[in-house]
Amino acid sequence: MANLMRNAMAYFGFAEEDEQYDDAVQERETEPQRQHVSAPQPVRVDEHAESSRPAPVTPIARGPKAVPTPSAGDMNEILTVHPKAYNQDAQLIAENFRNGIPVIMNLSQAEDADARRLIDFASGLTQGLYGKIERVTSRVFLLSPEHVNVHGDTRSEDNAKDGSFFA
């Protein structure tokens, strides 16, 4: 049973193949021919020897290059979105934020479930693109790209007490 497992492991490349078969063939070739005929011994050919050279690699074309973010002095636009449904407005928010445009999301007209999904989406978006998400009011959020600095009142005590975006 161990020999069967060893052979299976060698076949799949998990273990080294035994060299005893090749050694037996070499010994027979060097010995003088005997008079009696015996059954031929199996000869194992190393199948991995041919595949040891690297396979040819085809270069893959890169996707679209990242859009260079403008410097803080070049910013001249802020997008305000009043999303009503997640499916309609998430792509608009993402495309503009990815292009370096700050986005204000006013979720006052969105249902609670859609508003939560949009906040989760915006949180992931800002995290992935090194931006920031800040609550302006209870249902209005500012998504600012990496190159945009936001200055104003920071009420850290009030934010810590809320504990939720929907307080």
Side-chain angles (χ1 to χ4, degrees):
M1 183 69 170
N3 196 18
L4 177 65
M5 290 297 292
R6 176 102 173 124
N7 289 342
M9 289 175 59
Y11 179 76
F12 289 113
F14 296 121
E16 295 293 323
E17 291 189 29
D18 293 332
E19 299 294 329
Q20 63 182 339
Y21 295 112
D22 292 335
D23 294 340
V25 171
Q26 289 175 357
E27 289 175 7
R28 263 196 230 111
E29 291 175 356
T30 58
E31 292 179 4
Q33 291 291 336
R34 296 186 184 160
Q35 296 295 19
H36 72 310
V37 177
S38 62
Q41 295 293 327
V43 176
R44 180 168 288 198
V45 178
D46 188 13
E47 296 172 2
H48 299 290
E50 294 177 12
S51 64
S52 64
R53 54 190 134 102
V57 177
T58 304
I60 297 175
R62 299 273 181 190
K65 293 184 178 180
V67 178
T69 57
S71 65
D74 293 341
M75 187 185 76
N76 57 8
E77 181 179 0
I78 296 176
L79 176 70
T80 303
V81 180
H82 298 272
K84 293 181 178 61
Y86 175 82
N87 295 337
Q88 297 170 354
D89 297 312
Q91 185 174 3
L92 175 70
I93 293 168
E95 287 174 352
N96 284 287
F97 186 79
R98 186 179 52 208
N99 290 333
I101 299 171
V103 178
I104 296 175
M105 287 193 319
N106 186 345
L107 301 174
S108 60
Q109 298 173 355
E111 295 181 16
D112 282 346
D114 286 335
R116 287 182 193 273
R117 286 184 70 192
L118 280 164
I119 290 170
D120 289 343
F121 172 75
S123 297
L125 180 67
T126 56
Q127 179 70 27
L129 296 175
Y130 306 107
K132 294 180 211 147
I133 182 169
E134 296 181 28
R135 180 189 295 185
V136 178
T137 66
S138 64
R139 296 188 57 102
V140 177
F141 297 88
L142 170 64
L143 283 64
S144 55
E146 181 180 19
H147 67 278
V148 175
N149 294 324
V150 178
H151 300 285
D153 291 342
T154 57
R155 294 176 283 175
S156 60
E157 295 120 21
D158 293 340
N159 291 340
K161 289 178 187 175
D162 291 344
S164 170
F165 281 121
F166 295 104

